[in-house]
Amino acid sequence: QHDELPICTDRAIQIYQQAREKIRDDTYLLYMIGNVYTQEKNYDSALVYLNKASDKNPHETQILFSLGSVYERKGEFDQSVAIFERLLRIDSTSAPALNYLGYMFAEKGIRLEESLDMIRRALESDPNNTAYLDSYGWVLFRMGRLEEAEIQIKRALEVVNTDSIIHEHLGDIYQAQGRIED
């Protein structure tokens, strides 16, 4: 079944391309083609289509979110930040964007106060979101607030106990606390 994935992907792109020829506004199809390329980790092609979609509809936050995340995955941090900041100027309450950008800052160890505020705002809209809880714990960890970080990471694990990244974050906290046995 895994061997069939590229054929399915090629077929999906072919169908989307055919549909583009038949409709006037192909923004959504450009977005979908970009997402297919993203799933295949073909970030250069994804960026071509997502940028075309964004050019046609520069205020569509869903497109901007995908565009920002592809730039981040491609390692183009500054470009990703610019896209997410643009998205947040359009919709300052977008919890997914607040969390994504806040986590990016936490990973780099920069703008940590701003990161904490962004993730806190994301959590206000969805207090039991595992990703947001993990991000909040992670930024607290990066700030050296280990006890608070541990509480947030454990809250995330209460919701979903199978996420290896959250377990890794808890292990990092324990290590920083000198709790090697834990």
Side-chain angles (χ1 to χ4, degrees):
Q1 190 171 5
H2 179 69
D3 295 333
E4 295 176 17
L5 188 60
I7 294 169
C8 292
T9 301
D10 289 343
R11 182 70 181 131
I13 290 170
Q14 185 180 50
I15 290 168
Y16 287 137
Q17 293 287 17
Q18 289 170 352
R20 281 186 65 207
E21 296 170 10
K22 296 180 181 187
I23 62 171
R24 182 173 296 139
D25 182 4
D26 63 351
T27 306
Y28 183 73
L29 292 171
L30 291 166
Y31 166 74
M32 294 303 295
I33 294 169
N35 284 337
V36 171
Y37 278 122
T38 300
Q39 290 173 355
E40 290 298 308
K41 296 181 174 48
N42 183 341
Y43 300 131
D44 290 330
S45 294
L47 287 173
V48 167
Y49 286 94
L50 291 172
N51 274 307
K52 284 181 183 180
S54 181
D55 289 345
K56 289 179 175 254
N57 192 345
H59 299 292
E60 175 53 55
T61 57
Q62 190 175 19
I63 295 169
L64 291 173
F65 186 91
S66 291
L67 191 56
S69 68
V70 171
Y71 277 117
E72 184 265 334
R73 292 174 190 179
K74 194 169 182 257
E76 296 185 27
F77 181 81
D78 293 338
Q79 186 65 29
S80 178
V81 169
I83 296 293
F84 277 111
E85 287 177 339
R86 181 172 138 205
L87 186 162
L88 289 169
R89 282 191 298 277
I90 295 166
D91 179 5
S92 64
T93 65
S94 171
L98 288 164
N99 180 69
Y100 203 110
L101 184 56
Y103 187 81
M104 283 176 50
F105 289 154
E107 277 292 287
K108 292 276 188 188
I110 62 171
R111 298 168 65 175
L112 294 177
E113 288 294 335
E114 185 180 358
S115 172
L116 186 68
D117 180 61
M118 284 190 272
I119 297 167
R120 183 181 295 129
R121 289 172 37 214
L123 273 168
E124 286 171 3
S125 71
D126 191 356
N128 293 315
N129 184 302
T130 306
Y132 302 171
L133 289 166
D134 177 57
S135 296
Y136 195 63
W138 192 240
V139 74
L140 288 166
F141 169 77
R142 299 296 255 176
M143 296 173 90
R145 296 163 59 178
L146 302 180
E147 293 78 20
E148 293 172 86
E150 181 181 349
I151 291 167
Q152 297 305 316
I153 296 296
K154 284 182 174 178
R155 279 186 60 208
L157 286 171
E158 287 173 7
V159 178
V160 173
N161 194 19
T162 58
D163 188 316
S164 62
I165 298 296
I166 301 172
H167 282 282
E168 180 183 349
H169 287 165
L170 184 59
D172 291 338
I173 293 167
Y174 286 158
Q175 183 177 19
Q177 293 171 327
R179 296 166 56 187
I180 304 305
E181 291 291 320
D182 290 334

